Amino acid sequence: MQARRLTLIALASLAAAAIVGCKTNPPIETPVAQVPVVPEPLPPKKIKIGLALGGGAARGFAHIGVIKALEAQGIYPDIVVGTSAGSVVGAMYAAGNTGFQLQKMAMDMDEAAISDWALPLFGKSTGVLKGEALQGYVNKSVNNLPMEKLKIPFGAVAADLKSGQPILFQRGNTGMAVRASSAVPGVFQPVTISGHTYVDGGLVAPVPVRFARDMGADFVIAVNISTQADVQATVSSLDVIMQTFSIMGQRINQYELRDADVVIAPSLGKMAGNDFAGRNQAILAGEQAAAQQMAQIKQKLEAKRKP
């Protein structure tokens, strides 16, 4: 009996030792797959698009076509600055009119609405048009809003007749600023504002690219509607004046346009500065020129927006 008890105790001790031995073996761990951490993409940079509209009298109708083409592709400028004819279209666009609305306004426009002939005073005259009609037409088109109240920040470039320095109007009477910017010497009378006399901005900035930069534009689309001097007819005195502006403008534009991200140059051929009858063809030329540049515009915009 005693021997049996000893045998049972020995077996129990062996079992306990076996259990203890099993507990000392480390458990086998199953490796956990590592999930790679993918960083969230950075949002695209917000940039300000500037639209710089150049001068060129009736050739300025092409600006409307450019605006239509840009809007069709969802491209809307944050800043608009214009010289001469570009300031006329720019002001109306900055007031909130779409490209199609601008086209309708252009088609309905009566040339007589902006023509107020000046009578020479004692045989002297500084311009055949006073410019007051143009001022009134623009103010009516923008609902008499001052420049600082327009929907899009807008600037109009003119030249100080005394100093020859450029001036960028951004506040005050919209029509008066546009009138000053469009006062082609010999055609429109100079405009006096706050004791300074101003004439057409094409003398100092035919396509106001650098002023778009000054207003905060990160990406500038420039529209050059100036004619080549060697194709412009010189039949009337107005033709001679516009030819002179073309010659001066080409030299200035060589420097001005370098700072633009994209330059759109509508093919307007020999269209004269007083050819208001050709407005529809000019609008179409603007649309076509912008469409040809659209791929480049989108590509450069995308590159500019990359963080």
Side-chain angles (χ1 to χ4, degrees):
M1 188 70 177
Q2 184 68 23
R4 186 179 178 186
R5 287 180 63 189
L6 292 173
T7 302
L8 289 174
I9 291 171
L11 290 173
S13 298
L14 289 172
I19 292 172
V20 171
C22 289
K23 288 183 178 180
T24 58
N25 291 333
I28 300 174
E29 296 182 359
T30 304
V32 179
Q34 296 294 322
V35 179
V37 178
V38 180
E40 292 186 10
L42 294 173
K45 289 192 297 186
K46 184 172 179 58
I47 64 171
K48 289 186 177 182
I49 301 174
L51 185 61
L53 304 177
R59 295 164 68 93
F61 288 109
H63 291 315
I64 297 173
V66 171
I67 290 169
K68 285 180 62 183
L70 292 174
E71 287 185 337
Q73 296 298 318
I75 300 173
Y76 296 88
D78 302 288
I79 294 166
V80 179
V81 58
T83 291
S84 197
S87 72
V88 178
V89 176
M92 296 178 183
Y93 184 45
N97 295 293
T98 66
F100 282 100
Q101 288 172 324
L102 291 174
Q103 182 172 8
K104 185 180 185 305
M105 293 166 70
M107 293 298 103
D108 294 342
M109 179 184 179
D110 183 3
E111 187 180 350
I114 60 171
S115 302
D116 48 354
W117 301 96
L119 295 176
L121 182 62
F122 303 114
K124 298 179 181 180
S125 177
T126 55
V128 295
L129 298 175
K130 290 185 288 186
E132 294 173 358
L134 174 62
Q135 177 178 329
Y137 176 81
V138 171
N139 277 332
K140 182 179 179 181
S141 300
V142 302
N143 296 316
N144 291 307
L145 289 173
M147 300 179 77
E148 64 272 19
K149 295 292 186 180
L150 298 178
K151 293 185 177 180
I152 304 174
F154 169 67
V157 180
D160 188 307
L161 184 60
K162 184 176 181 179
S163 68
Q165 294 298 312
I167 177 70
L168 176 66
F169 290 105
Q170 293 181 263
R171 300 182 63 82
N173 189 304
T174 303
M176 181 171 287
V178 169
R179 175 186 171 191
S181 179
S182 306
V184 180
V187 179
F188 284 96
Q189 294 179 352
V191 180
T192 300
I193 302 174
S194 300
H196 293 267
T197 303
Y198 298 101
V199 292
D200 194 285
L203 290 167
V204 288
V207 185
V209 174
R210 60 192 170 105
F211 289 102
R213 297 283 187 199
D214 290 345
M215 289 178 66
D218 305 301
F219 187 92
V220 178
I221 301 172
V223 187
N224 181 17
I225 57 169
S226 62
T227 182
Q228 293 295 322
D230 56 351
V231 301
Q232 184 69 48
T234 53
V235 178
S236 65
S237 58
L238 176 60
D239 293 333
V240 173
I241 293 172
M242 298 309 297
Q243 174 82 334
T244 304
F245 266 68
S246 297
I247 294 170
M248 291 187 301
Q250 286 179 31
R251 182 65 61 93
I252 299 173
N253 277 341
Q254 289 178 4
Y255 300 97
E256 190 85 5
L257 295 176
R258 288 178 187 174
D259 199 30
D261 293 278
V262 176
V263 179
I264 299 174
S267 180
L268 298 169
K270 295 184 179 181
M271 180 180 180
N274 59 351
D275 185 8
F276 283 81
R279 68 190 77 179
N280 198 45
Q281 289 79 4
I283 293 172
L284 180 59
E287 285 189 72
Q288 292 173 338
Q292 291 171 359
Q293 295 274 62
M294 199 58 66
Q296 182 187 24
I297 293 172
K298 289 183 175 181
Q299 182 181 19
K300 288 190 173 184
L301 272 173
E302 184 178 352
K304 201 86 171 180
R305 286 173 173 150
K306 285 184 178 178

